[in-house]
Every structure is written in C-alpha cells, then in structure tokens.
Amino acid sequence: MAEEGDENVGGAGERHRQSKVGRVIIDRDLGDIGAALEHHWTAEDQESMSLRTLADFFNQRVLRGAMEDAGMQVLDGEAENLYELLTGDDVSGGSRVQAKRRLEREGLDVGALMSDFVSHQAVHTYLTKYRGASAPASNGTTGTDSERITIQRLRNRLAAVVTNSLTSLRSKGQLTLGEFDVFVNIQIRCDDCGTQLTVSELFETGGCECDRVE
C-alpha cells in the first residue's frame, strides 16, 4: 500500500503518472489527496464515501486549487457551486457559459482545467491499481457523510437554479444585471449555547459547544 505523499516522490511519482488521477495530483500539486481518497473509500464508518462522491470531491479540490493559484479568494461553497455550474446535468447553457467566462476573466484555462476532472472509474483504477486499496464489502455513503453530501447538493442546486432564473430574466430584458455571482450561505445557530456555524464548520467541528459547557 502506498505511503502518504508518495505521489511526489521519485519512481513512485512516475508510476502514479500512469493513471490520470495520479498525474493530476502531481501536475496540480494536490499533496496527500491520494491518501484522503483511499481513507474515505476504505473506511467502514461515517467517513466512508462512494467512488462517485470521491470523484466530485477530487474535482472540486482541483477547481479550488486552480482558483486559489489564480489569486482568487474562494469563499465557503464557492468552488462547489462553480463545479455544479460547470458539470451539472440540469444547468442551462447560459449559466455554464457564464461560469466559464468568470473563471477565464481570472486567467484560468477552463478547457485544461475541466480536462483534469476525473470520473469515478478513474478514481477506482487509481485506488485499486496504483494504491493497492480495496473497499470493504459494506462500502457506501453513510452517516454524517451522506447528510453532508445531501446538503451540499441542495445548496449547489439552489445556487444553480437562481443563476439560471436570473440569467433567463436578463436575456429577456426583464431584469438589469451585470456579471454576477450567487452565494448560498447556510448558517446554523444553536439556541442552547449560542454557537453559530456554517454547515461545513458544523460538520468539521463535530457539533456546537453544548457538550463543552459546564
């Protein structure tokens, strides 16, 4: 089994280049994301992720890294929303073009960026052939991860729907609006301890301050 970070080390790095996922990890300097993919695929608890979820996770990291390298300040959920606009099945052509143009204005080569997005089959090949990993029989998307994915998809879908609607109204001359971005920021506030967090922060910290209050 590969060691963490080996994507960038000598012969191991060259071997990983033989897979698309490994090549992208090296070319875009994604560090130990290979270890993260393996961990989430082989986990038997709430941290388990399906191959399709891992592909989205990987591609969103690629997009976020490219945005940060271009000097963009990436807000919470922004990369995920743009990824939905670039790849979602229900996104209008106008909204997709707008998302691409926004990235191009920041100096990104969108064609090259999207060519580095990977499929779930590519993730499977990378994990099994190049990291020697195998998923537990019960592998799937469960528990906390399942709810995180559901909320993220709903947030991305809402942002995409709003973008589609505004773009349509603007094209019909019913709304005056220049180039725009849509942000969906969900805040959770615990009435008992007063903690207020974004959904991402809530999952990352494992909860509010209730169990820490004496």
Side-chain angles (χ1 to χ4, degrees):
M1 186 173 295
E3 297 295 329
E4 291 190 10
D6 69 354
E7 287 83 1
N8 297 308
V9 180
E14 290 305 313
R15 183 170 65 85
H16 278 68
R17 278 189 179 276
Q18 297 174 31
S19 73
K20 181 176 181 179
V21 173
R23 175 185 60 77
V24 174
I25 290 174
I26 295 172
D27 290 349
R28 293 194 174 271
D29 194 20
L30 298 181
D32 290 341
I33 192 171
L37 293 175
E38 181 177 344
H39 169 73
H40 287 298
W41 193 49
T42 59
E44 297 183 355
D45 55 18
Q46 66 271 18
E47 294 189 350
S48 174
M49 293 186 186
S50 69
L51 290 169
R52 292 184 185 278
T53 301
L54 287 172
D56 289 339
F57 168 77
F58 182 87
N59 294 338
Q60 288 165 8
R61 181 74 69 84
V62 169
L63 176 56
R64 173 179 286 273
M67 293 169 69
E68 292 174 343
D69 289 344
M72 298 175 65
Q73 182 177 2
V74 186
L75 303 178
D76 182 50
E78 186 175 10
E80 292 81 1
N81 179 40
L82 280 170
Y83 178 71
E84 175 71 17
L85 291 172
L86 291 173
T87 65
D89 294 333
D90 299 329
V91 175
S92 70
S95 297
R96 199 182 309 278
V97 168
Q98 181 181 347
K100 290 180 179 179
R101 287 178 177 172
R102 182 197 170 196
L103 294 172
E104 289 170 347
R105 288 197 302 270
E106 298 290 343
L108 277 74
D109 184 336
V110 179
L113 172 66
M114 295 186 66
S115 70
D116 280 346
F117 288 168
V118 302
S119 66
H120 71 281
Q121 293 97 331
V123 173
H124 182 268
T125 297
Y126 170 73
L127 290 172
T128 56
K129 185 174 181 180
Y130 297 95
R131 292 194 71 93
S134 58
S138 61
N139 180 265
T141 303
T142 60
T144 303
D145 181 63
S146 176
E147 301 307 323
R148 184 202 301 261
I149 294 167
T150 298
I151 294 172
Q152 178 177 300
R153 285 176 175 170
L154 288 172
R155 183 175 63 180
N156 293 345
R157 181 59 56 84
L158 175 58
V161 168
V162 172
T163 299
N164 287 344
S165 297
L166 295 180
T167 300
S168 176
L169 291 171
R170 183 177 61 181
S171 66
K172 296 175 182 177
Q174 299 175 354
L175 181 70
T176 299
L177 182 65
E179 295 299 321
F180 67 93
D181 298 310
V182 176
F183 302 103
V184 179
N185 183 20
I186 303 174
Q187 295 280 333
I188 310 299
R189 183 182 186 280
C190 175
D191 292 336
D192 292 334
C193 66
T195 301
Q196 183 165 321
L197 302 167
T198 66
V199 173
S200 296
E201 291 170 340
L202 186 65
F203 281 121
E204 288 170 3
T205 59
C208 65
E209 296 293 325
C210 280
D211 62 350
R212 303 176 182 87
V213 176
E214 296 182 358

